[in-house]
Amino acid sequence: MKLPLVILTGAGISAESGVPTFRGAGGLWKNHRSEDLATPQAFARDPGLVWSFYAWRRELLQNCLPNKAHTLLAQLEEQFELTLITQNVDGLHQQAGSLHLIELHGNIWRLRCTNCERRWEDRRVPLRPSPPICEVCGAIARPDVVWFGERLPADTLNEAAQRAGEARTFAVIGTSAQVYPAAGLALLARQAGANLVEINPEPTPISKYADVCFRGNATEMVARWLNEALPA
Ligand code: OAD
């Protein structure tokens, strides 16, 4: 029987693919913090500005490829009953071949109509017109991502929480663990008896609960964790 393994990733796992983290250097766009633009209020006030921000991020991501850490996690599905939970909207886990993926905060390559709620994939860069329009009802579309102040879809969060509660090992990779409910999944898993592993160059608020911490970049430390510490 395959062991249940759950992994939560954040922006740090994509850093070595060239994607800037949210709270690190490079997290600003034209002097705006992403926390100020990725909100329903900012979109209601100025959808053009928010779409310019996402157009910039999509352009940047267009040239980014999955790195060794993404690939190693995708390969783990052969060996474990793996659930990969990501806060990232960049689509790099999918691109690396991960199948059992829960995208907690949505996906930047998917759009959602603000009126009829239709969702569709659109990978065009640049996206025209901007803001994009729903072809069915003519309303403005938004990125299908979760913004600050918005609730995560209940079914997505419930599934992530259920998997976290069943995990034998729960690994947290490349997240500052400041955003809830995502960070709370690690604590939930720990309380339910999981072995908690953290991979991050910096300590985070959940480091003190971790059974083992690998301090360093994801590409190197994921490989080390898999070689040294992960029970088969
Ligand atoms: P953050 O930018 O808050 O944190 C990135 C983390 O990655 C930090 O703890 C870094 O130390 C770590 N890091 C940097 N380089 C790394 C590397 N090469 N390998 C491993 N770790 C590295 O990003 P998140 O924790 O993902 O939410 O942020 C969580 C959420 O807040 C995001 O999903 C987004 C954001 O604002 C929404 O958009 C709703």
Side-chain angles (χ1 to χ4, degrees), residues 4 43 59 87 94 106 122 158 163 170 180 223 228:
F43 191 70
E59 194 179 325
Q87 299 166 86
Q94 267 171 345
D122 192 332
N158 288 343
R163 297 276 173 265
F170 190 102
Y180 280 76
E228 290 178 7

Side-chain angles (χ1 to χ4, degrees), residues 9-16 20-24 34-35 38 54 57 67 86-89 104-105 145-150 152 173-179 182 198-204 216-219 221:
T9 64
I13 196 160
S14 297
E16 290 163 272
T21 58
F22 287 91
R23 295 175 179 79
S34 58
E35 292 96 318
Y54 279 94
R57 289 186 64 196
N67 62 47
T86 189
Q87 299 166 86
N88 300 344
V89 298
L104 275 185
H105 294 163
V145 301
V146 177
W147 282 331
F148 289 98
E150 291 185 320
L152 269 59
I173 305 175
T175 174
S176 61
Q178 291 183 37
V179 174
E198 179 176 62
I199 295 178
N200 198 310
E202 307 286 339
T204 76
N217 289 339
T219 51
M221 292 301 145

Side-chain angles (χ1 to χ4, degrees), residues 9 11 53 66 75 87 140 151 157 219:
T9 64
F53 167 62
Q75 289 167 353
Q87 299 166 86
I140 288 186
R151 281 176 187 277
L157 184 58
T219 51

